[in-house]
Amino acid sequence: MSEKILEVEMVTPEKISFREQADFVVVPAFQGELGVLPDHAPCLVQLKAGEVRVKKDEKVHHFAISGGFAEIKKNRVSLFAETAEMAGEIDSERARQALERARAEIRKEGIDPLTLAGAEAAIRRAQIRLQVAAKISR
Ligand code: ATP
């Protein structure tokens, strides 16, 4: 009998950025990290900005995503994300600059709530990118 395996795909509005087999996937669900093994119950999960880990044998791919949905069905994990970058694709200097820009934004006096929320989200995206960039896929 062949071993059960997951088919994982990462889809963004720009492209299908990744399609691989895996034996374990961890996604940043709103309720906390969700680990998915083969034969997981079908479900639709809302994702927040965070790290996705896709493990196959001893190799782990790390992604930074900025929110979306995961659909788990028949050993297929489809990740629909607003943005997604694999660890090795992340430009850390760009993320540091985005972090600085957003931090400067929230220090401004009289900042309106919408701008503040946008700057806070940008800080979160940049911090995740820096955290994931430090874990180049092994
Ligand atoms: P920036 O201000 O640097 O554009 P951002 O958080 O506003 O950062 P997003 O709107 O989340 O950027 O993403 C826009 C596009 O740029 C997406 O395709 C995303 O994958 C890509 N991207 C953003 N930051 C980086 C980065 N540091 N390294 C690689 N790609 C990035």
Side-chain angles (χ1 to χ4, degrees), residues 7-126:
E7 296 284 341
V8 183
E9 63 175 1
M10 178 77 78
V11 183
T12 70
E14 291 169 11
K15 59 183 176 182
I16 295 176
S17 61
F18 180 86
R19 192 179 270 155
E20 291 249 351
Q21 295 191 326
D23 35 44
F24 187 50
V25 182
V26 180
V27 299
F30 257 87
Q31 294 83 350
E33 287 207 315
L34 172 70
V36 182
L37 287 164
D39 287 336
H40 194 284
C43 62
L44 190 62
V45 182
Q46 194 176 357
L47 304 177
K48 59 184 181 180
E51 181 182 343
V52 170
R53 296 193 293 282
V54 178
K55 186 171 178 296
K56 174 80 171 67
D57 302 323
E58 290 315 305
K59 198 169 167 61
V60 187
H61 294 287
H62 299 266
F63 294 85
I65 66 159
S66 51
F69 287 89
E71 184 190 50
I72 301 159
K73 197 167 70 182
K74 292 185 181 163
N75 285 337
R76 177 176 291 276
V77 182
S78 304
L79 301 164
F80 303 101
E82 284 154 36
T83 65
E85 304 95 39
M86 212 185 269
E89 295 170 349
I90 296 172
D91 178 342
S92 296
E93 187 47 38
R94 177 175 167 182
R96 270 190 286 275
Q97 285 174 11
L99 184 60
E100 269 319 301
R101 236 183 358 260
R103 281 182 173 156
E105 190 81 36
I106 61 170
R107 283 196 294 266
K108 284 183 187 160
E109 258 178 61
I111 182 172
D112 68 274
L114 207 62
T115 312
L116 177 62
E120 284 172 346
I123 287 174
R124 178 100 186 106
R125 287 196 300 277

